[in-house]
Amino acid sequence: MLTIKRLDLAEARLLIEGAAEKAREIGVPMCIAITDESGNLIAFERMDGGKITSVTIAQDKSFTASAAKKATHDYNAVNVPGKLAFGIHTEVGGRISSVGGGLPVIVDGEVVGGIGISSGTPQQDMDCAQAGIDYFETKRG
């Protein structure tokens, strides 16, 4: 029997709140996706002005971060011609993202979910994702 730690909806909303606050600060409306530890969507927000294409991209970044238990920018470093992981983005029906902006959410050493952000540059997306995690960590106690 397995016991699985998983984000709940209130925690997902904290992640969104922190990421959205950072997005407003930098003036870039974002699409923000939160998934559980297996990559299934818990919560999503498209801020007013968030890009239409970013709806899917944010969800795929969050899926990658939680299901693969790895930041999307980590895949970016190895998803290049000549590297053994080149082409990883074509796996799982094309859902693996190697674009910065997806981070696993870790509690007590376990991945309990993921956050994926899209609409800005990869660095802006990464900064907003980290801001969401930082806010979550301060608010959850």
Side-chain angles (χ1 to χ4, degrees):
M1 186 69 59
L2 296 175
T3 301
I4 297 171
K5 289 185 179 182
R6 172 177 295 149
L7 291 172
D8 64 23
L9 183 57
E11 292 165 327
R13 288 182 176 147
L14 287 175
L15 288 155
I16 289 173
E17 190 176 331
E21 184 177 301
K22 180 68 172 179
R24 285 187 293 274
E25 178 185 309
I26 65 172
V28 180
M30 297 288 190
C31 291
I32 306 164
I34 310 299
T35 51
D36 66 17
E37 82 295 337
S38 60
N40 292 301
L41 190 64
I42 298 173
F44 177 83
E45 180 175 308
R46 178 174 165 228
M47 297 174 71
D48 291 341
K51 296 175 184 174
I52 298 293
T53 54
S54 293
V55 170
T56 301
I57 294 168
Q59 291 179 47
D60 286 350
K61 287 180 181 183
S62 188
F63 168 83
T64 301
S66 58
K69 302 179 181 357
K70 181 181 293 229
T72 54
H73 65 267
D74 289 341
Y75 276 123
N76 185 272
V78 297
N79 189 21
V80 294
K83 299 281 187 174
L84 292 176
F86 178 62
I88 191 73
H89 62 285
T90 66
E91 299 297 333
V92 194
R95 291 206 63 197
I96 300 292
S97 178
S98 62
V99 179
L103 296 174
V105 179
I106 301 169
V107 174
D108 299 329
E110 289 185 53
V111 174
V112 297
I115 182 169
I117 311 284
S118 185
S119 277
T121 66
Q123 188 62 59
Q124 289 171 327
D125 295 352
M126 291 166 64
D127 291 345
C128 288
Q130 187 60 58
I133 289 174
D134 292 345
Y135 185 82
F136 164 77
E137 288 175 347
T138 61
K139 294 295 184 180
R140 71 175 283 275

